[in-house]
Amino acid sequence: GLHPTVLDDLGLVPAVARFAREHAQLYGIAVNVDTSHLGTERLPPAVETTLYRILQEAMTNVVKHAAAEMVEIRLRREGSVAEMIVRDDGEGMGLSAEPGEATPGRLGLLGIRERADLLQGTVAIDSLPGRGTAITVRIPLAPEAADDAGRREVGESQPEEQ
């Protein structure tokens, strides 16, 4: 489930749609997916994989902590940036620490930040107690950044300069 073949074979949109259906069935949470502003061209493989893994972590957090009834997943392309927003209607949280800090109980948020950082991306969290949480991830689509990060994520070393 970490990297389903549908992600490689068909792309991010079908992989996210399948993931959303499975979570809705397993956990009784309504999951709506909007990819209408993503376009038809596939994102670079490293970006697709990173967004998918971040979605997995965000949905794990929703299931474990949010007590949400509804989740909205929006994917869009804005110029040379891919954006994903995962918004729930759950309990929310009072964030007193930045999402990149290692805080007890917030390792999932740290993982989301680290994955985005690999591709020079950003993560913003908007959450208030009783009003749900929205995680917004923005990743630049510069091919060299995505290619370099993809190599790092799978454990390949960077080529040495000569």
Side-chain angles (χ1 to χ4, degrees), residues 26-82:
L26 280 172
Y27 301 107
I29 300 171
V31 182
N32 300 313
V33 178
D34 177 4
T35 60
S36 61
H37 293 95
L38 190 60
T40 57
E41 186 178 324
R42 285 190 60 178
L43 300 174
V47 174
E48 286 190 343
T49 299
T50 298
L51 289 174
Y52 188 82
R53 296 287 289 135
I54 288 171
L55 173 63
Q56 288 176 312
E57 189 62 54
M59 290 297 289
T60 296
N61 288 346
V62 168
V63 169
K64 284 184 175 180
H65 307 294
E69 295 178 8
M70 189 277 303
V71 175
E72 178 184 8
I73 302 165
R74 281 193 284 161
L75 292 164
R76 67 182 184 173
R77 185 186 314 239
E78 215 174 61
S80 62
V81 173

Side-chain angles (χ1 to χ4, degrees), residues 54 57-59 61-62 65 93-117 123-127 133-137:
I54 288 171
E57 189 62 54
M59 290 297 289
N61 288 346
V62 168
H65 307 294
M93 56 186 163
L95 280 180
S96 59
E98 288 296 312
E101 295 179 16
T103 306
R106 297 213 173 115
L107 292 177
L109 297 178
L110 179 62
I112 288 171
R113 170 71 67 179
E114 288 175 346
R115 287 187 184 285
D117 283 349
V123 177
I125 298 176
D126 181 22
S127 182
T133 300
I135 298 174
T136 303
V137 179

